[in-house]
Amino acid sequence: MQIDEAPTITEQDRIAALHRLKLMDTPAEERFDRITRAARELFGVPLAAVNLVDSDHLFVKSPQGLARSVVPREETFCDATITSPDILVVPDATADRRFAALPDVVGIRGVRFYAGRPLSAEPGSRVGTLCLFNTRPRELSAIELRHLDELGTWAEAEIRDSADRDRARATQQALLPAAGPAGSDYVVAGICLPKADVGGDFYSWEESEGRVCLAIADVMGKGTAAALMAATVRSAIHSTGSQHPGTILDIASGRLARDLDRTSTFATAFLGTLDTVTGQLQYADAGHGLTMIVSPDGSHRRLHGSGLPLGIGEPGSWTTCRTVMGPGDTLASFTDGVLDLYGGTLTALDKLADLIRDTHPSDVTKALRDLHVRTALEDDLTAILLRRGSAPV
């Protein structure tokens, strides 16, 4: 039974496809365990597994009845399985010279029967196997082969879902600014860490005619649905053609009204435009409320806005406010996920101000990333920082 018709790819390509999945050496997941439980019950075998095969070892992603999680590749049946698009059936391993000397055959496991269905992440890239093992010789009927193939299709769908999520994450991150503006009188840095693979936060900035325009937004919800709406909000904000933050929110709100209403969604946002020569900052706030200016001496002030979130406020309700950033001042805006790193209340702004005062903006984002790694956050985390003039470090 042939599984795929794709052209043969190189081993290097196969390994690259496997590593893109980011599944190697990860904990067991119920989505794979359901498949191996079903395989054990359907075929009446004591052992079943979803395995991933690297260049030199096999990782058991979903063990059912198996104790080992990592096995040298050359000691496995799966080393042969991934070389062909066909299901490999070994009725009696002791009678097959390819496998008779394997540790699982001659050792205490006493494996006799093996059946392996190769699993592809992409056409032709066989990255793993769905396997059945038994301590007694047996054959598989045509119907059983079809059932194993169907379970393999299920396992491949889960593997490819991992690849799809990875591509979605990479796409969302690619939409963020890749580097700060080139001006010598200011520094910009940002970070966006979704709770799931993708999230509802985004930040952006652009440089134009002595100005730096920035935005940060937080769409209600998490995951893929929030990410879809975040892309919609981002597009609406970027396509207005205005430099006045309040006007941008007004126009974007009108364009988004139907989509936000039909999806029962709202989004908070902060938009700012800094004149890099005079330090004048124009800004508008749509229910965001988590923006402050931190001075070199560590004092800070929040930038309050009276506007409601997009999807709740009415067009025409957002105004453009003005203030001035002095040399060395840092504009910092966060989504509420950042507060969770410091206890989840607004007192976190005091701790963030202390961090910002003594730290270069890019190092602030690194510190937030390090905290994120050590904290099991239940929300997306996003921050953007803009420092005028020479930054104290």
Side-chain angles (χ1 to χ4, degrees), residues 109-260:
R109 291 178 180 274
V111 171
R112 296 296 177 263
F113 164 79
Y114 167 89
R117 200 279 201 185
L119 304 176
S120 296
E122 303 163 7
S125 61
R126 293 181 287 276
V127 297
T129 59
L130 171 62
C131 300
L132 309 174
F133 302 88
N134 206 334
T135 55
R136 296 177 298 177
R138 66 174 286 182
E139 299 275 359
L140 289 183
S141 68
I143 293 177
E144 288 174 322
L145 284 170
R146 187 175 74 247
H147 288 330
L148 181 57
D149 184 31
E150 290 167 349
L151 288 177
T153 299
W154 180 7
E156 279 184 335
E158 296 295 347
I159 287 174
R160 290 172 180 175
D161 181 59
S162 297
D164 288 342
R165 292 202 307 268
D166 186 56
R167 283 191 290 269
R169 179 172 55 248
T171 298
Q172 190 172 57
Q173 290 294 313
L175 294 175
L176 300 173
S184 59
D185 294 331
Y186 49 88
V187 178
V188 186
I191 188 171
C192 184
L193 300 173
K195 176 184 182 295
D197 297 287
V198 291
D201 291 0
F202 73 86
Y203 69 85
S204 65
W205 65 67
E206 60 181 14
E207 180 184 20
S208 174
E209 299 176 354
R211 300 175 186 270
V212 178
C213 302
L214 58 82
I216 186 170
D218 181 356
V219 173
M220 180 189 69
K222 302 174 184 66
T224 303
L228 289 171
M229 288 309 303
T232 303
V233 171
R234 177 182 179 276
S235 177
I237 287 175
H238 286 178
S239 64
T240 63
S242 174
Q243 289 187 336
H244 299 289
T247 303
I248 292 173
L249 290 177
D250 283 339
I251 297 173
S253 174
R255 294 176 177 176
L256 290 166
R258 178 179 295 181
D259 290 340
L260 294 174

Side-chain angles (χ1 to χ4, degrees), residues 4-21 53 73 82-85 118-128 160:
D4 61 38
E5 300 286 349
T8 301
I9 65 171
T10 67
E11 175 69 358
Q12 183 178 6
D13 291 338
R14 190 191 72 79
I15 296 299
L18 171 63
H19 289 172
R20 282 195 294 270
L21 297 173
V53 183
R73 176 176 169 177
I82 62 169
T83 64
S84 169
L119 304 176
S120 296
E122 303 163 7
S125 61
R126 293 181 287 276
V127 297
R160 290 172 180 175

Side-chain angles (χ1 to χ4, degrees), residues 29-97:
E29 298 179 55
E30 177 60 22
R31 61 195 180 112
F32 291 108
D33 292 345
R34 283 196 297 267
I35 300 170
T36 48
R37 282 199 303 270
R40 287 183 68 185
E41 294 173 5
L42 180 62
F43 293 95
V45 295
L47 308 174
V50 168
N51 300 318
L52 300 171
V53 183
D54 203 344
S55 57
D56 57 3
H57 73 284
L58 175 148
F59 169 63
V60 186
K61 175 61 179 173
S62 177
Q64 291 293 327
L66 295 170
R68 292 187 297 173
S69 60
V70 178
V71 185
R73 176 176 169 177
E74 67 272 12
E75 296 180 4
T76 68
F77 292 90
C78 300
D79 186 31
T81 304
I82 62 169
T83 64
S84 169
D86 301 331
I87 290 175
L88 173 64
V89 178
V90 181
D92 184 353
T94 61
D96 191 321
R97 62 183 181 181

